[in-house]
Amino acid sequence: MTATATPATRRWLPPLLRQTPFRRYWTGQSVSLLGDQITELALPLFAVLVAQAGPAEMGYLTAAALAPNLLFSLLFGGWADRRPYKRTIMVAADVARAVALLAVPVLYLLDALTMTQLYLVAFTVGTFSVLFEVCRTTLFVSLVPREDFLPANALLNGSRAFSSVAGASLGGLLVRLVGAPFALLLDAVSFLFSAVMIARVEVTEPTPSPRRGLGLREGLSFIARHPVMRAAVSASSTLNLFNFMYLALVILYVTTELHITPDVLGLGLGLAAVGALIGAAVARPVAERFGVGPLYVFGYLLFPAPLILIPLAQGPHWLVLTMVFCAEFLSGLGVMLLDTAGGSLQASVIPDELRARVTGAHRTINYGIRPIGAVIGGALGTALGVRETLWIATVGALLGVLWLLASPIPRMRRL
């Protein structure tokens, strides 16, 4: 064997994972995503089953986790673009998120955990998640050549899909066995693991922007001028407005109206997330066969459309479970196609010197609409009823694709 030959134990790995820096980055993100899936199920289940939260409280809880995207994305993006070591910022953000989540079981043991404190924890974790994400895009393009954006995003979305399978099942089981507050411990540990992995990534980061001031308008101006970014952000904002009306209420609906227990819900969501695994696996070859743009447009249909089955579900319990499973399976398949194509498209058109600012502007619009959707969902759930609001949310989410049809995206075959 020559000195440059690939060790036999690594020959089965995809080429990108044979590179130590990317492998460490991917491993840390994969473990952190698994923990996130547990929290996404455990936190609302605690609110519903222990704190007896209603539709409005569920909307507030979802909004608290998402409000930092609206409040801080532009500010953090402008600040981070002038920092030379974004990897260090990401490590600090991971540690801060772990500490915030550890507060939940501690307060619970002290019999001092209230919905207000859950809002604060969700807001704190969301704030440091924004800081982490505006820096992550720069680290990603520092590690991955442009020609490898699609396979790299496919690997990351594959981890996200696997975390949906394992995390939802594990989260439902942990909630049943040890309770929702203690299930959050695993997510805290996953953040610490991610911090260690990212700290060990050796990479040359792009030169920070020399511009003085935060340059907050530059990211927004780039999105407004660029036809691909303008259409993509408009479509995703419309989709997310309605989708987070849905997400604010769906756990409440399936547990109280459809009478699905946490362990069965977690297992069903985990099995349904196999659709996301399939989507992550086929996204790259489908994009190469039909084009990145057409795949992106198709994802905007396949992601929201199956969720109509949730408010439609009724009849025998086995039929209800089957409809919930099918909705999540097909939606997971669609979101992986959408995110793999969309992440690659956007990474390819944003210049390095504006990357954090454009990411911050994008998150302000795209993610900032999410807490608004959650609050609207909670308010409509209280006023009209949960099932009626789910109908509005699932049908309305399909409107997002309309923004793409008149843009260059459907005609884009390659990055």
Side-chain angles (χ1 to χ4, degrees):
M1 184 190 313
T2 65
T4 58
T6 302
T9 54
R10 293 186 184 175
R11 287 176 186 164
W12 59 273
L13 290 174
L16 281 169
L17 293 184
R18 297 174 194 165
Q19 303 170 19
T20 300
F22 182 81
R23 187 171 64 252
R24 288 174 176 169
Y25 166 76
W26 175 83
T27 302
Q29 290 300 283
S30 299
V31 173
S32 181
L33 285 167
L34 177 65
D36 289 347
Q37 288 296 317
I38 294 172
T39 295
E40 284 185 17
L41 188 61
L43 198 61
L45 279 174
F46 175 85
V48 171
L49 301 177
V50 179
Q52 302 296 310
E57 288 80 10
M58 294 303 292
Y60 297 149
L61 181 62
T62 305
L66 298 169
N69 292 286
L70 181 62
L71 299 175
F72 304 131
S73 292
L74 274 175
L75 180 65
F76 287 170
W79 177 79
D81 255 340
R82 298 194 317 283
R83 305 278 80 77
Y85 303 113
K86 298 177 180 63
R87 183 169 56 94
T88 305
I89 299 172
M90 294 168 66
V91 171
D94 267 339
V95 173
R97 290 188 286 182
V99 171
L101 284 175
L102 287 171
V104 176
V106 171
L107 289 169
Y108 181 75
L109 288 173
L110 296 174
D111 197 24
L113 189 59
T114 65
M115 281 301 299
T116 299
Q117 287 157 343
L118 283 182
Y119 299 151
L120 289 174
V121 169
F123 183 84
T124 301
V125 172
T127 297
F128 285 101
S129 293
V130 171
L131 183 59
F132 183 95
E133 287 297 322
V134 297
C135 296
R136 187 185 65 81
T137 54
T138 300
L139 184 63
F140 175 83
V141 298
S142 302
L143 287 168
V144 181
R146 180 182 295 267
E147 62 270 18
D148 288 331
F149 281 175
L150 266 175
N153 273 305
L155 283 169
L156 290 167
N157 281 320
S159 296
R160 180 175 155 204
F162 175 78
S163 72
S164 298
V165 176
S169 302
L170 184 58
L173 183 61
L174 285 173
V175 169
R176 185 68 176 260
L177 294 178
V178 301
F182 300 104
L184 299 177
L185 284 173
L186 195 55
D187 194 12
V189 172
S190 77
F191 281 134
L192 295 176
F193 181 85
S194 171
V196 171
M197 286 292 102
I198 291 173
R200 298 181 63 201
V201 171
E202 297 175 2
V203 65
T204 301
E205 299 184 28
T207 303
S209 172
R211 178 187 173 92
R212 293 182 178 274
L214 294 177
L216 300 183
R217 288 188 295 179
E218 292 180 359
L220 290 170
S221 297
F222 180 84
I223 291 173
R225 293 193 312 268
H226 200 287
V228 171
M229 288 299 299
R230 184 171 62 246
V233 170
S234 299
S236 60
S237 299
T238 303
L239 173 64
N240 281 317
L241 173 69
F242 289 101
N243 188 240
F244 276 79
M245 290 170 57
Y246 164 86
L247 288 175
L249 300 176
V250 65
I251 296 294
L252 175 66
Y253 182 72
V254 299
T255 53
T256 60
E257 299 295 329
L258 301 183
H259 308 293
I260 301 175
T261 59
D263 53 337
V264 173
L265 176 62
L267 179 61
L269 292 178
L271 292 174
V274 173
L277 275 174
I278 295 172
V282 304
R284 181 187 177 187
V286 172
E288 291 173 347
R289 173 66 178 84
F290 297 100
V292 179
L295 178 64
Y296 187 53
V297 174
F298 180 64
Y300 264 93
L301 294 172
L302 187 57
F303 170 32
L307 297 178
I308 294 172
L309 291 172
I310 300 294
L312 192 63
Q314 55 185 325
H317 198 57
W318 66 266
L319 180 59
V320 168
L321 289 174
T322 301
M323 294 179 75
V324 172
F325 171 86
C326 290
E328 294 295 333
F329 179 91
L330 293 172
S331 181
L333 175 61
V335 76
M336 285 298 130
L337 299 179
L338 189 160
D339 284 354
T340 301
S344 301
L345 276 174
Q346 293 178 39
S348 70
V349 301
I350 302 173
D352 284 340
E353 66 273 13
L354 288 175
R355 198 165 296 278
R357 273 168 287 176
V358 174
T359 301
H362 176 251
R363 291 183 68 89
T364 298
I365 302 168
N366 180 30
Y367 285 72
I369 202 74
R370 297 180 180 191
I372 297 173
V375 172
I376 292 173
L380 289 179
T382 302
L384 303 178
V386 175
R387 186 166 181 260
E388 290 76 8
T389 303
L390 290 178
W391 272 114
I392 296 171
T394 51
V395 173
L398 289 167
L399 299 175
V401 73
L402 299 178
W403 292 99
L404 304 178
L405 300 182
S407 77
I409 292 176
R411 300 184 297 277
M412 294 179 67
R413 307 286 298 179
R414 300 184 182 278
L415 296 178

